Amino acid sequence: MNPELPETSIGTPRTREAFAHSLSLKSSAEDIQNQLKEDPSGVKESDPPIVVRDGRTDHTPPPKLWRAGMAKEWAVIQSSQSTDTKGRNAPIKSISSTLTALNRKAVAEPEHRFRSVYRLIDKQMLYDSYYRLKKGASPGVDGVTFAQYGSKLDENLESLLSRLKEKRYRAQSVKRRYIEKGVGKLRPLGIPSLEDKIVQMCAARILESIYEADFSDRSVAYRRNQPGAREVSQILREELMSGTYRWIVEADIKSFFDDVDHAWLLRMLEERIDDRAFVGLIGKWLKAGILEPDETEAWDPINGTPQGGIISPILANIYLHYVLDLWIEKRICKESRAEVMFIRYADDIIVGFAHKRDADAYLSQLPGRLGKFSLRLAEEKSSLVKFNRWEPDVSGKFTFLGFDFYWGRTRKNKNQTVVRRKTNKKKFRESLLRMKKWIYESRSWPLRMILSSLRRRLRGYWNYYGVIGNSIMNRKYNSAVRKLVYKWLNRRSQRRSYNWTQLAKLWHAEWQIPGPSIVEKPWSRESQRELNLAGSPK
């Protein structure tokens, strides 16, 4: 995040007293503007658009941009975007250079509001976005699959582009499906139609180009070229070991994707985008109906954004960027007496303090801050934990990304303390129950299919939980899985198929089932460069 970005962009008042003035849905446009902007001068006038007459982007930035020294050189688009659309009739134009130009402008001018971004959704970008979709993904309410749409791709995209240009494009209802989330819980997912997925992919790439310049380095989920969850847990461990943090506040937002306030989200987008057509496009997806399973009519949502849609991750990051990241960086860090550390992964956030008074102040303000934006704190997953390296025996533990973090003594030197991680017991039980359910349901498969799927599942488990210091929990999981396999393979027929001796010989030698292993590499300076978490936030 650029250090020159004013606090006015966080969308909230700076003083604690002003928290009482929460936003009402009946507020006028002027009221919303006043709450988002503290500067009495109001919104800065938009600079000239970077899109010129023919719709192409001016890729030549002013000379001053190269002299300024960019704090965040954006390599995401250049390294990951392809200009090959695989379509024979697709126009030839570099999409990556257009998006890179957007990002350079966003980096150089943090207060710039972009115009004419709606015009960037052209035939070339539609082609390219279509081929970025998952070919085997479930179809939406219209039942159109990737292959069916691609059978007449030129004709379909021409029709889609025409509707976009003439403002006749309408978002279709989102098909809702539920997947398991822990024991006895279901996570709602929204499946847009294929055409909505294509346009959402275009919009998401444009938003990513702009907001990558603004996002905090400590927001790491839903972003390209950022470390994965396991790597983030290692980085957090090293940050805790090298800092002087004695108190940790762990917080989780309850039903975040269901509670996102549409009015606030659109207002946040307008902080960077001065294009009514593009913002209106986002609004269409937010207001799209939701079709529940076994229902024939969709219902219209008042709040929230469907979890599972292509546009949802970047919208979630934008929302939490203004709600939490900037608030912590611009206010909490300034009000605290000592260094503050925080890291946010999606809607899970960890904040470290050196003084308990600062931690108490943050935790007391957090529910009100979230409530201002129609969000709720999951109190059962939120707490203040003493985490003192100088008092490891009386320090507690906190959970983040499926791991329990706690201070422990080293085996070689009992006077030396380190931050350890182990699989959270709840996550351990949930993983084991899912494995048990899968083995039970697949026990009638051919043995070769069972073993092939078992190898993939265990390999994925070790790749995540195979961190330094977690060997005991991994061995327990491996032993429990072997007992489940032994139990259900012997129930495939009326007679016993294997005894323990036979199973032990077959497990590694013939079946080649991967055992628990440590996949995490020891910490190094190269690892630190993956994510800039050292020191206080910018």
Side-chain angles (χ1 to χ4, degrees):
M1 162 162 272
N2 196 304
E4 297 180 358
L5 184 62
E7 189 179 350
T8 58
S9 297
I10 67 175
T12 58
R14 299 162 76 177
T15 60
R16 184 172 183 177
E17 292 77 8
F19 272 87
H21 304 290
S22 58
L23 176 66
S24 170
L25 292 177
K26 298 181 180 180
S27 298
S28 64
E30 182 179 359
D31 294 333
I32 298 177
Q33 178 73 9
N34 290 337
Q35 291 195 52
L36 276 169
K37 288 287 182 181
E38 297 176 25
D39 191 347
S41 62
V43 180
K44 182 178 178 180
E45 186 68 24
S46 300
D47 292 334
I50 66 169
V51 180
V52 294
R53 291 188 301 272
D54 59 356
R56 298 179 181 176
T57 304
D58 182 6
H59 304 311
T60 307
K64 64 178 182 180
L65 301 187
W66 299 106
R67 297 195 300 266
M70 299 179 181
K72 288 185 177 181
E73 185 62 33
W74 187 56
V76 177
I77 297 292
Q78 291 177 320
S79 63
S80 62
Q81 304 289 350
S82 169
T83 58
D84 180 15
T85 63
K86 305 179 184 178
R88 294 181 179 179
N89 298 328
I92 300 175
K93 188 179 69 174
S94 173
I95 297 174
S96 62
S97 59
T98 299
L99 298 178
T100 302
L102 280 178
N103 180 258
R104 287 174 177 168
K105 184 76 171 178
V107 170
E109 301 183 36
E111 296 183 7
H112 178 74
R113 298 179 68 215
F114 290 84
R115 298 176 180 173
S116 303
V117 292
Y118 187 82
R119 294 168 57 188
L120 298 179
I121 305 178
D122 55 12
K123 189 174 182 181
Q124 171 72 9
M125 182 171 281
L126 291 175
Y127 268 98
D128 193 76
S129 297
Y130 167 78
Y131 283 106
R132 289 174 179 270
L133 300 180
K134 294 181 179 179
K135 297 179 176 58
S138 300
V141 293
D142 56 359
V144 177
T145 64
F146 182 90
Q148 291 172 343
Y149 195 86
S151 62
K152 297 181 179 180
L153 185 59
D154 290 341
E155 179 182 338
N156 289 332
L157 291 184
E158 286 286 357
S159 172
L160 177 59
L161 182 60
S162 175
R163 280 177 278 138
L164 286 169
K165 288 182 176 179
E166 298 171 7
K167 307 298 189 298
R168 293 185 294 108
Y169 168 81
R170 297 293 181 269
Q172 300 188 53
S173 298
V174 175
K175 183 170 68 175
R176 173 156 285 182
R177 289 294 180 264
Y178 293 89
I179 63 173
E180 290 187 4
K181 179 188 176 182
V183 181
K185 297 181 180 180
L186 295 176
R187 182 194 302 272
L189 294 181
I191 306 176
S193 66
L194 193 115
E195 277 198 342
D196 288 341
K197 289 180 182 178
I198 295 174
V199 185
Q200 284 188 21
M201 177 69 76
C202 297
R205 295 166 70 185
I206 292 172
L207 290 175
E208 183 184 63
S209 305
I210 296 172
Y211 280 95
E212 274 296 323
D214 296 349
F215 287 153
S216 170
D217 286 331
R218 303 191 173 227
S219 166
V220 291
Y222 307 143
R223 295 173 62 187
R224 299 188 185 186
N225 288 5
Q226 290 287 350
R230 193 199 73 221
E231 289 80 6
V232 170
S233 73
Q234 185 184 20
I235 294 171
L236 176 59
R237 173 183 179 269
E238 298 300 325
E239 174 75 1
L240 293 171
M241 289 184 61
S242 61
T244 58
Y245 315 107
R246 293 177 172 86
W247 299 91
I248 298 293
V249 177
E250 54 177 331
D252 188 23
I253 300 175
K254 187 175 184 179
S255 303
F256 167 72
F257 283 92
D258 297 333
D259 292 342
V260 170
D261 187 280
H262 293 173
W264 269 118
L265 178 56
L266 295 178
R267 190 65 192 88
M268 292 168 182
L269 289 171
E270 290 173 353
E271 287 289 293
R272 273 303 224 168
I273 299 173
D274 185 15
D275 189 335
R276 293 179 61 185
F278 187 85
V279 175
L281 186 64
I282 305 295
K284 291 179 181 179
W285 294 322
L286 295 176
K287 293 178 174 61
I290 297 177
L291 184 63
E292 297 284 352
D294 302 325
E295 296 289 338
T296 57
E297 295 185 4
W299 57 274
D300 297 328
I302 300 176
N303 292 326
T305 174
Q307 189 172 0
I310 294 176
I311 196 69
S312 295
I314 183 67
L315 294 182
N317 259 343
I318 292 172
Y319 201 81
L320 291 176
H321 168 73
Y322 287 102
V323 174
L324 286 178
D325 299 348
L326 285 175
W327 177 61
I328 294 175
E329 290 182 346
K330 302 293 184 180
R331 176 171 177 173
I332 299 299
C333 290
K334 290 181 179 180
E335 293 181 350
S336 300
R337 294 187 297 171
E339 185 180 30
V340 176
M341 177 277 302
F342 85 94
I343 181 170
R344 180 177 63 80
Y345 196 93
D347 55 351
D348 294 336
I349 184 166
I350 296 294
V351 186
F353 297 90
H355 301 288
K356 187 175 185 298
R357 187 182 69 176
D358 297 333
D360 287 333
Y362 164 73
L363 190 56
S364 65
Q365 296 178 43
L366 185 58
R369 174 66 181 182
L370 295 177
K372 183 180 182 65
F373 297 90
S374 303
L375 301 179
R376 296 169 293 164
L377 183 67
E379 297 189 4
E380 69 279 3
K381 299 181 181 179
S382 307
S383 62
L384 174 61
V385 180
K386 185 176 183 179
F387 203 75
N388 193 339
R389 66 188 307 164
W390 294 278
E391 299 178 272
D393 297 331
V394 296
S395 292
K397 63 181 179 181
F398 67 90
T399 303
F400 187 60
L401 302 178
F403 294 100
D404 286 340
F405 289 73
Y406 62 99
W407 282 106
R409 301 182 185 276
T410 61
R411 294 180 181 178
K412 295 182 179 180
N413 186 355
K414 298 300 181 180
N415 294 323
Q416 183 180 3
T417 57
V418 294
V419 175
R420 296 190 180 278
R421 288 165 296 163
K422 66 178 181 180
T423 309
N424 176 257
K425 291 183 178 180
K426 181 181 177 181
K427 296 295 183 181
F428 181 91
R429 289 193 297 267
E430 291 177 354
S431 298
L432 206 55
L433 286 173
R434 284 195 297 269
M435 179 65 75
K436 179 180 179 180
K437 181 181 179 181
W438 169 77
I439 294 177
Y440 171 78
E441 293 176 348
S442 62
R443 66 189 187 280
S444 60
W445 294 1
L447 181 61
R448 184 179 62 179
M449 292 179 59
I450 294 177
L451 297 178
S452 176
S453 182
L454 178 63
R455 283 191 288 266
R456 290 196 302 269
R457 290 170 180 270
L458 285 177
R459 194 174 293 113
Y461 189 89
W462 308 138
N463 284 342
Y464 187 80
Y465 287 106
V467 302
I468 299 171
N470 196 32
S471 299
I472 294 178
M473 294 297 293
N474 284 342
R475 286 197 296 267
K476 287 182 179 180
Y477 186 81
N478 185 66
S479 177
V481 170
R482 186 179 292 198
K483 290 178 181 178
L484 290 173
V485 173
Y486 175 80
K487 173 183 177 179
W488 291 108
L489 286 186
N490 278 322
R491 295 192 179 186
R492 284 160 53 93
S493 61
Q494 295 180 353
R495 64 183 181 85
R496 199 178 211 182
S497 302
Y498 306 96
N499 57 39
W500 279 110
T501 304
Q502 292 173 331
L503 187 71
K505 291 180 180 180
L506 293 171
W507 193 262
H508 294 294
E510 186 173 332
W511 292 351
Q512 298 181 349
I513 306 298
S517 59
I518 302 300
V519 299
E520 185 178 73
K521 297 180 181 179
W523 185 256
S524 63
R525 291 185 178 180
E526 287 70 21
S527 303
Q528 177 114 13
R529 296 194 190 103
E530 293 179 358
L531 186 64
N532 180 24
L533 284 180
S536 48
K538 296 177 295 183

